[in-house]
């Protein structure tokens, strides 16, 4: 027989004996000609409270033994345990639910008898009629406090107090109608308590609308081994909870940091070690009304005292939406009232937690630990993939295992293809930033951009530093010499149309990263603090390593700080100061583009690792641009690139002229010719209000060939 089956058998035996004792007691009183008399004495010398003196014989109770159930005369407590003469089982069996409830909720014998009387109503159909006979009223076929005071030994009026366990823990329900006295009101055992006494350990359904079970303990696979940095945190939490297990005030645990998945994994390992099941509570659904919050806190604390459960409070959603302040008082009050194991997940510490609460930082695994996790997940034939993936992306263990599993299922061989792994990581690290940034699908390659050799070399240096940062920082030890500035940031300065956006696309394509162009209209807000909050979302999302931040027209956001003359200047400077700090701590690639380099704050220029100037193209550069602007599939006829290079245009304008000429040729079903290009160039010159020197736009007419 399994341990659970043995416990169920013992629990049923004990509960049946206790209910039988209540039934026998009611039967004896029902058969008596006179109701029991109770004298109330108040304020005995040297004692406080209300005392009862009963003039009747001691009441019987039942005791279970291997030989059967026998009637014992004397005493006023129900049987709860097997007699000592019974040999102990080979495996220790936990005490019956009735014993656990009495000990952990602090019930005195009279309170336990009241609860048994109410539970017997649910479990024994004969109890209702007996209650009516004992109370000498046919319509009172239910338990009352008056019945309990006259029925059980050692009655105490304090059992009726709202601060005593019966009412404080919601063990019984009182149906007090109108002006009916408390002592004669109907009593009913709480439904969940009845289930608990029967051995059911499900959570109270009044709690379930607020809670969501986290992954069952079995789902936290035994083969998952936390990396050393996270294992140390889990061990610290376990030790703190074990030492505080018998204290009156249970400490709360705060898990701090931006990665929710790592915090949940650490919590799962802690709960598995303590053999408790965690339940998740989102901060947004925590009851706000004081009465509802009090009821929720008491029910949860009751569950935590009787069941192996723990609470995991998520606050990230409220912090992202800027709703932290309204919830501080609610969370503080709940934690002070719950007094049960609670783990609070937060980005930053919450104030007002109980004393001796523990706050620990939970970060993603280090780069070396991520590399080891990739090697474990991919197997011995992984090649250079673990080093490349760990060097570019910052992932938690769960994501690494999922990506590796997906790539292995999709692939044909045991060793997943590196490109498939890379694409899988990109897809999982792609953040939901549609309202703050636009994702640009990069298609440009190095041959598409025309720049002087110096600027081209700088772009290659940027790409090399992003690709090799893990080797320099980790393997070569530069990380131990630096505390910030691990990312790569660059300024692309030049006139409009000189190739700044194209260069960002080239880098994204070469590095195989997502390029996000920041929408300044969505980021910058007139409300105080909103701009910083939006920027924080952007930088935090980019920290995973799978995206490049591209701030076009950056001078609008990174402008010079001004002298403070009013509150608007002060808050504008705060935004710039925040950007200065965040750019310095950012670990990815951030590109600033501006055609007004002089408008940028000098502090930004000092923090920029690269400044790439995009000059206006000369004749040689313009010729190279014209030679590459038309795709190979475009039908062209007798194009003179030397002649086209005489037009004083930037690269962006050249690309637009070529596109317009192609549309005209497509409509005319002809090839792209010089006259069509010159017509499109005239339109471009008029648009930018540049003088048109007509001889520059003349070309000998030639027969038009149909494309």
């Amino acid at each position: 027989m399994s341990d659970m089956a043995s416990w169920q058998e013992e629990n049923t035996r004990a509960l049946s004996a206790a209910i039988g004792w209540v039934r026998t007691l009611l039967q004896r009183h029902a058969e008596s000609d006179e109701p029991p008399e109770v004298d109330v004495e108040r304020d005995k010398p040297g004692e406080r409270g209300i005392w009862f003196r009963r003039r009747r014989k001691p009441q019987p109770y039942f005791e279970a033994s291997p030989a059967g159930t026998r009637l014992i005369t004397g005493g006023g407590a129900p049987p709860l345990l097997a007699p000592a003469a019974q040999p102990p089982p080979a495996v220790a069996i936990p005490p019956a639910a009735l014993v656990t409830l009495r000990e952990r909720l602090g019930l005195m014998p009279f309170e336990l008898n009241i609860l048994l009387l109410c539970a017997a109503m649910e479990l024994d159909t004969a109890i209702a009629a007996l209650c009516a006979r004992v109370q000498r009223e046919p319509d009172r076929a239910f338990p009352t406090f008056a019945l309990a005071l006259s029925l059980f030994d050692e009655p105490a009026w304090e059992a009726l107090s709202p601060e005593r366990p019966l009412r404080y823990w919601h063990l019984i329900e009182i149906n007090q109608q109108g002006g009916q006295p408390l002592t004669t009101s109907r009593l009913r055992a709480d439904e969940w308590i009845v289930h608990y006494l029967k051995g059911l350990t499900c959570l109270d359904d009044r709690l379930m609308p607020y809670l969501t079970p986290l992954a069952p303990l079995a789902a936290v696979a035994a083969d998952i081994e936390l990396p050393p940095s996270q294992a140390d945190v889990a061990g610290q939490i376990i030790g703190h909870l074990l030492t505080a297990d018998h204290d009156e005030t249970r400490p709360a645990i705060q898990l701090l940091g931006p990665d929710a998945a790592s915090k949940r994994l650490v919590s799962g390992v802690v709960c598995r070690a303590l053999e408790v099941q965690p339940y998740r509570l989102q901060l947004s659904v925590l009851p706000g009304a004081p009465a509802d919050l009090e009821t929720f806190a008491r029910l949860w604390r009751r569950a935590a005292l009787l069941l192996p459960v723990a609470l995991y409070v998520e606050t990230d959603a409220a912090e992202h939406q800027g709703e932290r302040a309204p919830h501080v008082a609610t969370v503080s009050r709940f934690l002070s009232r719950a007094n049960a194991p609670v783990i609070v997940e937060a980005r930053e510490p919450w104030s007002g937690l109980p004393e001796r609460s523990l706050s620990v930082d939970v970060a993603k695994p280090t780069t070396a630990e991520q590399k080891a996790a990739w090697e474990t997940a991919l197997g011995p034939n992984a090649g250079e993939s673990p080093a490349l993936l760990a060097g570019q992306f910052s992932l938690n263990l769960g994501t690494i295992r999922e990506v590796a599993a997906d790539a292995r299922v999709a692939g044909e061989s045991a060793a997943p293809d590196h490109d498939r792994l890379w694409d899988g990581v990109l897809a999982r690290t792609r953040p939901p930033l549609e309202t703050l940034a636009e994702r640009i699908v990069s298609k440009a390659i190095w041959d598409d951009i025309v720049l002087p050799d110096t600027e081209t070399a700088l772009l290659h240096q940027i790409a090399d530093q992003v690709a090799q940062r893990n080797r320099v920082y980790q393997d070569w030890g530069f990380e131990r010499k630096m505390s910030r500035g691990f990312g790569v940031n660059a300024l692309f300065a030049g006139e409009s149309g000189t190739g700044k956006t194209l260069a960002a696309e080239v880098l994204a394509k070469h590095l195989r990263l997502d390029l996000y162009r920041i929408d300044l209209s969505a980021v910058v807000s007139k409300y105080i603090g909103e701009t910083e909050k939006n920027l924080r979302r952007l930088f935090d999302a980019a920290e995973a390593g799978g995206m490049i931040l591209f701030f076009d027209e950056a001078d609008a956001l990174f402008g010079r700080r001004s002298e403070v003359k009013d509150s608007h200047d002060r808050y504008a400077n705060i935004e710039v100061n925040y950007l200065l700090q965040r750019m310095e701590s950012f670990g990815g690639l951030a590109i600033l583009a501006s055609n007004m380099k002089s408008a940028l704050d000098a502090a930004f220029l000092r923090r920029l690792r690269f400044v790439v100037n995009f000059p206006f193209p000369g004749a040689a550069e313009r010729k190279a641009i014209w030679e590459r602007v038309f795709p190979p599939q475009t039908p062209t006829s007798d194009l003179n690139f030397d002649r086209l290079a005489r037009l004083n245009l930037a690269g962006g304008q050249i690309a637009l002229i070529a596109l317009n000429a192609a549309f005209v040729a497509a409509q005319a079903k002809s090839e792209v010719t010089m006259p069509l290009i010159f017509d499109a160039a005239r339109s471009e010159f008029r648009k930018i209000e540049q003088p048109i020197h007509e001889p520059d736009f003349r070309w000998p007419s030639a027969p038009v060939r149909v494309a």
Side-chain angles (χ1 to χ4, degrees):
M1 183 180 296
S2 65
D3 294 345
M4 177 56 67
S6 299
W7 181 87
Q8 286 285 3
E9 182 178 341
E10 289 294 317
N11 184 71
T12 301
R13 179 195 60 79
L15 183 60
S16 299
I19 297 300
W21 170 78
V22 172
R23 182 175 60 251
T24 300
L25 193 60
L26 286 169
Q27 289 172 345
R28 289 172 62 91
H29 281 282
E31 296 169 357
S32 175
D33 295 335
E34 298 180 0
E37 299 179 7
V38 178
D39 291 344
V40 180
E41 298 181 1
R42 298 178 181 273
D43 302 329
K44 279 189 172 183
E47 298 176 342
R48 300 178 58 189
I50 298 177
W51 295 80
F52 296 82
R53 184 175 70 252
R54 192 183 318 279
R55 295 194 298 271
R56 57 180 169 82
K57 296 180 180 180
Q59 303 303 316
Y61 71 90
F62 275 93
E63 181 181 85
S65 69
T69 302
R70 58 194 182 96
L71 182 65
I72 305 296
T73 301
L80 299 177
L81 295 173
Q86 184 176 359
V91 179
I93 300 175
L98 199 59
V99 178
T100 303
L101 187 145
R102 180 196 65 186
E103 294 176 348
R104 296 186 181 180
L105 299 187
L107 275 72
M108 59 185 178
F110 180 60
E111 292 169 330
L112 184 63
N113 290 341
I114 294 176
L115 180 60
L116 269 176
L117 176 62
C118 296
M121 277 288 297
E122 307 291 339
L123 302 174
D124 190 335
T125 57
I127 299 298
L130 290 173
C131 288
R133 290 175 59 188
V134 172
Q135 297 180 93
R136 305 298 194 266
E137 294 186 23
D139 58 344
R140 297 179 65 182
F142 49 80
T144 64
F145 282 126
L147 174 62
L149 289 169
S150 65
L151 188 65
F152 299 116
D153 286 341
E154 301 179 3
W157 183 264
E158 64 185 70
L160 282 65
S161 169
E163 294 300 318
R164 290 296 300 170
L166 284 178
R167 297 178 65 183
Y168 184 88
W169 294 120
H170 298 273
L171 304 183
I172 61 173
E173 300 173 1
I174 304 175
N175 185 11
Q176 188 175 10
Q177 300 178 351
Q180 186 179 15
L182 177 64
T183 54
T184 60
S185 299
R186 180 193 295 265
L187 301 183
R188 183 173 182 269
D190 180 77
E191 179 185 349
W192 185 83
I193 290 297
V194 176
H195 293 322
Y196 178 80
L197 293 177
K198 287 291 292 180
L200 302 181
T201 57
C202 57
L203 203 62
D204 195 326
D205 59 359
R206 286 167 292 185
L207 295 173
M208 292 311 296
Y210 303 99
L211 306 178
T212 303
L214 285 177
L217 299 181
V220 183
D223 61 341
I224 292 183
E225 183 177 352
L226 289 179
S229 60
Q230 295 180 350
D232 292 343
V233 174
Q236 183 182 359
I237 296 172
I238 294 171
H240 189 76
L241 290 175
L242 290 177
T243 56
D245 188 50
H246 300 290
D247 292 351
E248 293 183 0
T249 301
R250 299 291 184 91
I253 306 298
Q254 286 196 97
L255 303 184
L256 308 178
D259 186 47
S262 292
K263 289 183 284 189
R264 282 194 292 269
L265 182 59
V266 170
S267 299
V269 172
V270 170
C271 292
R272 185 182 64 193
L274 300 177
E275 297 183 344
V276 296
Q277 170 62 47
Y279 285 85
R280 179 175 60 189
L281 169 66
Q282 292 185 348
L283 192 59
S284 58
V285 302
L286 189 66
D292 295 337
L293 183 66
E294 180 71 20
T295 300
F296 177 77
R298 290 189 187 185
L299 291 177
W300 172 256
R301 186 181 177 191
R302 184 184 76 175
L305 288 171
L306 299 177
L307 300 176
V309 293
L311 190 61
Y312 186 81
V313 181
E314 288 186 344
T315 66
D316 274 3
E319 291 180 330
H320 277 306
Q321 298 170 9
E323 300 175 355
R324 178 188 179 101
H327 293 290
V328 171
T330 303
V331 171
S332 300
R333 177 174 175 79
F334 167 72
L335 294 178
S336 64
R337 305 297 290 175
N339 193 21
V342 177
I343 298 175
V344 180
E345 173 203 4
R347 298 177 65 90
E348 298 173 353
W350 284 68
S351 59
L353 298 184
E355 295 183 3
R356 299 184 67 248
S357 296
L358 178 66
S359 297
V360 293
D361 290 310
V362 180
K364 292 178 182 178
T366 64
T367 304
E369 292 170 347
Q370 291 183 44
K371 179 182 177 182
W374 279 114
E375 291 172 346
T376 302
L378 297 177
N381 299 323
E384 295 184 356
S385 293
L388 295 175
L389 294 169
Q392 179 58 53
F393 301 97
S394 179
L395 306 176
N396 52 59
L397 288 184
T399 303
I400 291 175
R401 293 168 65 94
E402 291 172 2
V403 171
D406 292 346
R408 183 172 290 108
V409 170
E412 298 178 355
S413 61
D417 180 69
H418 176 74
D419 291 342
R420 188 181 297 112
L421 287 169
W422 191 280
D423 293 339
V425 175
L426 271 182
R428 289 185 177 271
T429 58
R430 189 169 293 151
L433 294 175
E434 292 83 359
T435 59
L436 299 178
E438 174 195 3
R439 178 169 170 259
I440 299 176
V441 180
S442 303
K443 299 180 180 179
I445 59 176
W446 288 106
D447 291 340
D448 294 330
I449 190 168
V450 177
L451 285 174
D453 294 341
T454 302
E455 283 67 28
T456 302
L458 285 176
L459 293 179
H460 281 283
Q461 286 186 37
I462 294 173
D464 293 342
Q465 289 203 10
V466 173
Q468 300 298 328
R469 59 181 179 175
N470 181 55
R471 175 176 298 178
V472 173
Y473 291 138
Q474 302 291 330
D475 300 343
W476 293 3
F478 272 80
E479 185 181 39
R480 294 186 290 273
K481 294 284 187 179
M482 305 167 59
S483 60
R484 63 186 67 186
F486 296 109
V488 179
N489 43 54
L491 170 65
F492 292 175
E495 297 182 27
S496 178
T498 53
K500 301 184 293 295
T501 302
L502 181 63
E505 293 185 31
V506 170
L507 288 174
K509 179 70 173 179
H510 175 76
L511 296 170
R512 297 191 63 191
L513 300 176
D514 289 333
L515 178 65
Y516 279 82
R517 179 165 51 196
I518 310 306
D519 184 357
L520 296 182
S521 65
V523 171
V524 179
S525 174
K526 64 179 180 180
Y527 298 105
I528 296 174
E530 287 296 316
T531 301
E532 292 90 332
K533 188 191 308 179
N534 294 334
L535 289 170
R536 179 180 183 177
R537 284 185 58 195
L538 287 169
F539 282 107
D540 287 350
E543 286 288 1
M547 58 183 289
I548 299 173
L549 293 181
F550 181 60
F551 293 88
D552 202 3
E553 307 297 340
D555 49 272
L557 193 59
F558 297 80
R560 291 180 179 272
R561 288 167 289 184
S562 60
E563 180 182 355
V564 177
K565 297 180 180 179
D566 54 27
S567 60
H568 297 286
D569 295 333
R570 180 170 65 254
Y571 288 117
N573 288 346
I574 290 175
E575 293 176 2
V576 176
N577 292 335
Y578 175 80
L579 275 168
L580 286 170
Q581 299 171 7
R582 200 65 180 88
M583 284 286 293
E584 197 166 15
S585 62
F586 178 55
L589 173 58
I591 300 174
L592 284 61
S594 175
N595 54 10
M596 297 177 63
K597 178 181 176 181
S598 59
L600 294 176
D601 194 285
F604 278 118
L605 295 177
R606 181 179 64 82
R607 287 170 169 81
L608 293 172
R609 188 174 297 186
F610 294 96
V611 176
V612 183
N613 293 305
F614 286 73
F616 196 89
E621 288 79 17
R622 291 197 294 269
K623 179 181 178 181
I625 295 173
W626 278 111
E627 289 174 343
R628 306 177 189 184
V629 73
F630 291 104
Q633 299 87 349
T634 305
T636 59
S637 175
D638 299 329
L639 300 186
N640 189 322
F641 297 114
D642 291 322
R643 179 68 182 274
L644 292 174
R646 298 178 190 175
L647 301 177
N648 196 26
L649 297 167
Q653 296 165 333
I654 293 175
L656 187 58
I657 292 172
L659 183 63
N660 290 336
F663 271 106
V664 174
Q667 178 64 28
K669 295 182 174 56
S670 70
E671 297 174 326
V672 177
T673 60
M674 292 292 289
L676 294 180
I677 294 176
F678 282 137
D679 288 342
R682 288 190 187 92
S683 299
E684 183 66 21
F685 270 74
R686 294 189 188 99
K687 183 183 73 174
I688 62 178
E689 298 181 350
Q690 292 292 328
I692 298 176
H693 188 233
E694 195 58 39
D696 292 339
F697 295 88
R698 293 175 182 170
W699 186 255
S701 60
V704 177
R705 290 181 293 181
V706 177

